[in-house]
Short mmCIF file of all heavy atoms in Angstrom, two decimals:
data_model
loop_
_atom_site.label_atom_id
_atom_site.label_comp_id
_atom_site.label_asym_id
_atom_site.label_seq_id
_atom_site.Cartn_x
_atom_site.Cartn_y
_atom_site.Cartn_z
N THR A 971 2.05 5.12 0.56
CA THR A 971 1.88 6.15 1.58
C THR A 971 1.99 7.53 0.93
O THR A 971 2.35 7.64 -0.24
CB THR A 971 2.96 6.03 2.67
OG1 THR A 971 4.24 6.31 2.08
CG2 THR A 971 2.97 4.64 3.30
N ILE A 972 1.70 8.56 1.70
CA ILE A 972 1.84 9.92 1.19
C ILE A 972 3.29 10.17 0.77
O ILE A 972 3.56 10.81 -0.24
CB ILE A 972 1.39 10.95 2.25
CG1 ILE A 972 -0.13 10.99 2.31
CG2 ILE A 972 1.93 12.33 1.95
CD1 ILE A 972 -0.70 11.96 3.31
N LYS A 973 4.23 9.62 1.53
CA LYS A 973 5.65 9.81 1.19
C LYS A 973 5.98 9.14 -0.14
O LYS A 973 6.76 9.68 -0.93
CB LYS A 973 6.54 9.25 2.30
CG LYS A 973 6.52 10.09 3.55
CD LYS A 973 7.45 9.53 4.60
CE LYS A 973 7.40 10.38 5.85
NZ LYS A 973 8.30 9.88 6.89
N VAL A 975 3.88 8.69 -2.68
CA VAL A 975 3.28 9.54 -3.71
C VAL A 975 4.13 10.78 -3.92
O VAL A 975 4.41 11.18 -5.06
CB VAL A 975 1.83 9.92 -3.34
CG1 VAL A 975 1.26 10.91 -4.34
CG2 VAL A 975 0.95 8.68 -3.27
N SER A 982 6.86 17.55 -1.80
CA SER A 982 6.96 17.27 -0.38
C SER A 982 5.69 16.52 0.05
O SER A 982 4.62 16.69 -0.54
CB SER A 982 7.09 18.56 0.42
OG SER A 982 5.86 19.26 0.44
N PRO A 983 5.80 15.70 1.10
CA PRO A 983 4.61 15.03 1.63
C PRO A 983 3.53 16.02 2.07
O PRO A 983 2.34 15.74 1.96
CB PRO A 983 5.14 14.23 2.82
CG PRO A 983 6.57 13.99 2.50
CD PRO A 983 7.02 15.23 1.77
N ALA A 984 3.95 17.19 2.53
CA ALA A 984 2.97 18.20 2.95
C ALA A 984 2.11 18.66 1.78
O ALA A 984 0.89 18.81 1.92
CB ALA A 984 3.69 19.39 3.58
N THR A 985 2.72 18.85 0.62
CA THR A 985 1.96 19.28 -0.56
C THR A 985 0.96 18.22 -0.97
O THR A 985 -0.19 18.52 -1.29
CB THR A 985 2.90 19.60 -1.73
OG1 THR A 985 3.84 20.60 -1.31
CG2 THR A 985 2.14 20.08 -2.94
N VAL A 986 1.35 16.95 -0.92
CA VAL A 986 0.44 15.86 -1.25
C VAL A 986 -0.71 15.85 -0.24
O VAL A 986 -1.88 15.67 -0.61
CB VAL A 986 1.17 14.50 -1.28
CG1 VAL A 986 0.19 13.36 -1.49
CG2 VAL A 986 2.24 14.50 -2.35
N SER A 987 -0.40 16.06 1.01
CA SER A 987 -1.43 16.12 2.05
C SER A 987 -2.40 17.26 1.79
O SER A 987 -3.62 17.10 1.93
CB SER A 987 -0.78 16.28 3.42
OG SER A 987 -1.75 16.40 4.43
N TYR A 988 -1.89 18.43 1.39
CA TYR A 988 -2.76 19.57 1.08
C TYR A 988 -3.71 19.24 -0.06
O TYR A 988 -4.88 19.59 -0.03
CB TYR A 988 -1.94 20.80 0.70
CG TYR A 988 -1.03 21.33 1.79
CD1 TYR A 988 0.14 22.01 1.46
CD2 TYR A 988 -1.32 21.15 3.13
CE1 TYR A 988 0.99 22.49 2.43
CE2 TYR A 988 -0.46 21.62 4.11
CZ TYR A 988 0.68 22.29 3.76
OH TYR A 988 1.51 22.77 4.72
N VAL A 989 -3.19 18.53 -1.07
CA VAL A 989 -4.04 18.15 -2.21
C VAL A 989 -5.13 17.19 -1.74
O VAL A 989 -6.31 17.35 -2.07
CB VAL A 989 -3.19 17.51 -3.33
CG1 VAL A 989 -4.08 16.87 -4.38
CG2 VAL A 989 -2.28 18.55 -3.96
N LEU A 990 -4.75 16.18 -0.98
CA LEU A 990 -5.71 15.16 -0.56
C LEU A 990 -6.77 15.70 0.39
O LEU A 990 -7.92 15.25 0.37
CB LEU A 990 -4.98 13.99 0.10
CG LEU A 990 -4.06 13.18 -0.82
CD1 LEU A 990 -3.28 12.16 -0.02
CD2 LEU A 990 -4.86 12.52 -1.92
N ASN A 991 -6.39 16.66 1.22
CA ASN A 991 -7.32 17.18 2.23
C ASN A 991 -7.99 18.49 1.81
O ASN A 991 -8.81 19.02 2.56
CB ASN A 991 -6.59 17.39 3.55
CG ASN A 991 -6.13 16.09 4.15
OD1 ASN A 991 -6.88 15.14 4.22
ND2 ASN A 991 -4.88 16.05 4.56
N ASN A 992 -7.64 19.02 0.65
CA ASN A 992 -8.16 20.32 0.21
C ASN A 992 -8.00 21.38 1.30
O ASN A 992 -8.88 22.20 1.52
CB ASN A 992 -9.63 20.23 -0.18
CG ASN A 992 -9.81 19.74 -1.59
OD1 ASN A 992 -8.95 19.96 -2.43
ND2 ASN A 992 -10.92 19.09 -1.83
N SER A 993 -6.86 21.33 2.00
CA SER A 993 -6.68 22.22 3.14
C SER A 993 -5.99 23.54 2.78
O SER A 993 -6.08 24.49 3.54
CB SER A 993 -5.90 21.51 4.24
OG SER A 993 -4.64 21.10 3.76
N ARG A 994 -5.32 23.60 1.66
CA ARG A 994 -4.65 24.83 1.22
C ARG A 994 -4.80 24.97 -0.28
O ARG A 994 -5.08 24.01 -0.97
CB ARG A 994 -3.17 24.79 1.57
CG ARG A 994 -2.93 24.71 3.05
CD ARG A 994 -1.74 25.49 3.43
NE ARG A 994 -1.58 25.41 4.88
CZ ARG A 994 -0.47 25.64 5.48
NH1 ARG A 994 0.60 25.97 4.79
NH2 ARG A 994 -0.39 25.58 6.78
N ALA A 995 -4.58 26.17 -0.73
CA ALA A 995 -4.65 26.41 -2.18
C ALA A 995 -3.44 25.79 -2.85
O ALA A 995 -2.30 26.12 -2.54
CB ALA A 995 -4.71 27.91 -2.44
N VAL A 996 -3.70 24.85 -3.73
CA VAL A 996 -2.64 24.22 -4.52
C VAL A 996 -3.00 24.46 -5.99
O VAL A 996 -4.15 24.28 -6.38
CB VAL A 996 -2.56 22.71 -4.23
CG1 VAL A 996 -1.49 22.06 -5.08
CG2 VAL A 996 -2.27 22.46 -2.75
N THR A 1000 -0.58 21.43 -10.35
CA THR A 1000 0.03 20.52 -9.38
C THR A 1000 -1.00 19.51 -8.88
O THR A 1000 -0.72 18.32 -8.75
CB THR A 1000 0.61 21.30 -8.19
OG1 THR A 1000 1.58 22.23 -8.67
CG2 THR A 1000 1.26 20.38 -7.18
N ARG A 1001 -2.20 19.98 -8.61
CA ARG A 1001 -3.25 19.14 -8.03
C ARG A 1001 -3.60 17.94 -8.91
O ARG A 1001 -3.65 16.81 -8.44
CB ARG A 1001 -4.51 19.97 -7.77
CG ARG A 1001 -5.67 19.18 -7.20
CD ARG A 1001 -6.87 20.06 -6.91
NE ARG A 1001 -6.56 21.16 -6.02
CZ ARG A 1001 -6.49 21.05 -4.69
NH1 ARG A 1001 -6.73 19.90 -4.13
NH2 ARG A 1001 -6.19 22.09 -3.96
N GLU A 1002 -3.84 18.17 -10.19
CA GLU A 1002 -4.29 17.09 -11.08
C GLU A 1002 -3.27 15.96 -11.21
O GLU A 1002 -3.64 14.79 -11.09
CB GLU A 1002 -4.68 17.66 -12.45
CG GLU A 1002 -5.90 18.56 -12.41
CD GLU A 1002 -7.11 17.89 -11.75
OE1 GLU A 1002 -7.35 16.69 -12.00
OE2 GLU A 1002 -7.80 18.57 -10.98
N VAL A 1004 -0.97 15.11 -9.09
CA VAL A 1004 -0.87 14.43 -7.79
C VAL A 1004 -2.05 13.47 -7.63
O VAL A 1004 -1.88 12.31 -7.22
CB VAL A 1004 -0.81 15.44 -6.63
CG1 VAL A 1004 -1.00 14.75 -5.29
CG2 VAL A 1004 0.51 16.19 -6.64
N LEU A 1005 -3.25 13.92 -7.97
CA LEU A 1005 -4.42 13.04 -7.87
C LEU A 1005 -4.30 11.85 -8.82
O LEU A 1005 -4.69 10.73 -8.47
CB LEU A 1005 -5.70 13.83 -8.14
CG LEU A 1005 -6.06 14.87 -7.07
CD1 LEU A 1005 -7.28 15.67 -7.51
CD2 LEU A 1005 -6.30 14.20 -5.73
N VAL A 1008 -1.92 9.47 -7.19
CA VAL A 1008 -2.60 8.79 -6.07
C VAL A 1008 -3.44 7.63 -6.61
O VAL A 1008 -3.41 6.53 -6.06
CB VAL A 1008 -3.48 9.81 -5.30
CG1 VAL A 1008 -4.48 9.10 -4.41
CG2 VAL A 1008 -2.61 10.74 -4.48
N TYR A 1013 -3.26 4.61 -3.69
CA TYR A 1013 -3.10 5.13 -2.33
C TYR A 1013 -4.43 5.09 -1.60
O TYR A 1013 -5.47 5.40 -2.15
CB TYR A 1013 -2.60 6.58 -2.37
CG TYR A 1013 -2.71 7.28 -1.03
CD1 TYR A 1013 -1.77 7.07 -0.04
CD2 TYR A 1013 -3.78 8.13 -0.76
CE1 TYR A 1013 -1.88 7.69 1.18
CE2 TYR A 1013 -3.89 8.75 0.46
CZ TYR A 1013 -2.94 8.53 1.43
OH TYR A 1013 -3.06 9.13 2.65
N SER A 1014 -4.37 4.69 -0.33
CA SER A 1014 -5.54 4.83 0.54
C SER A 1014 -5.03 5.28 1.90
O SER A 1014 -3.98 4.82 2.37
CB SER A 1014 -6.32 3.52 0.65
OG SER A 1014 -5.54 2.54 1.28
N PRO A 1015 -5.73 6.19 2.54
CA PRO A 1015 -5.25 6.74 3.80
C PRO A 1015 -5.22 5.68 4.90
O PRO A 1015 -6.06 4.78 4.93
CB PRO A 1015 -6.24 7.85 4.13
CG PRO A 1015 -7.44 7.56 3.32
CD PRO A 1015 -7.00 6.78 2.13
N SER A 1016 -4.27 5.82 5.80
CA SER A 1016 -4.15 4.92 6.94
C SER A 1016 -4.97 5.46 8.10
O SER A 1016 -4.75 6.58 8.57
CB SER A 1016 -2.68 4.81 7.36
OG SER A 1016 -2.57 4.17 8.61
N ALA A 1017 -5.90 4.66 8.59
CA ALA A 1017 -6.73 5.08 9.72
C ALA A 1017 -5.89 5.27 10.98
O ALA A 1017 -6.14 6.17 11.79
CB ALA A 1017 -7.83 4.05 9.97
N ALA A 1019 -2.65 6.19 11.09
CA ALA A 1019 -1.89 7.43 10.94
C ALA A 1019 -2.79 8.64 11.16
O ALA A 1019 -2.40 9.62 11.80
CB ALA A 1019 -1.24 7.50 9.56
N ARG A 1020 -3.99 8.59 10.62
CA ARG A 1020 -4.95 9.69 10.80
C ARG A 1020 -5.29 9.87 12.28
O ARG A 1020 -5.32 10.97 12.80
CB ARG A 1020 -6.22 9.42 9.99
CG ARG A 1020 -7.39 10.32 10.26
CD ARG A 1020 -7.22 11.69 9.73
NE ARG A 1020 -7.08 11.66 8.29
CZ ARG A 1020 -7.14 12.71 7.54
NH1 ARG A 1020 -7.35 13.90 8.06
NH2 ARG A 1020 -6.96 12.63 6.25
N GLY A 1021 -5.52 8.76 12.96
CA GLY A 1021 -5.84 8.83 14.38
C GLY A 1021 -4.70 9.39 15.20
O GLY A 1021 -4.91 10.17 16.13
N SER A 1023 -2.32 11.45 14.16
CA SER A 1023 -2.11 12.87 13.88
C SER A 1023 -3.22 13.73 14.48
O SER A 1023 -2.98 14.86 14.87
CB SER A 1023 -1.99 13.12 12.38
OG SER A 1023 -3.23 12.89 11.75
N CYS A 1024 -4.43 13.19 14.54
CA CYS A 1024 -5.56 13.94 15.10
C CYS A 1024 -5.72 13.73 16.61
O CYS A 1024 -6.56 14.37 17.23
CB CYS A 1024 -6.86 13.52 14.41
SG CYS A 1024 -6.91 13.93 12.68
#
Side-chain angles (χ1 to χ4, degrees):
T971 65
I972 284 180
K973 288 182 181 181
V975 174
S982 72
T985 303
V986 175
S987 177
Y988 298 152
V989 169
L990 294 174
N991 294 313
N992 277 332
S993 59
R994 297 217 179 159
V996 178
T1000 301
R1001 178 178 304 279
E1002 293 307 319
V1004 168
L1005 292 175
V1008 164
Y1013 167 80
S1014 65
S1016 168
R1020 170 72 62 169
S1023 68
C1024 295

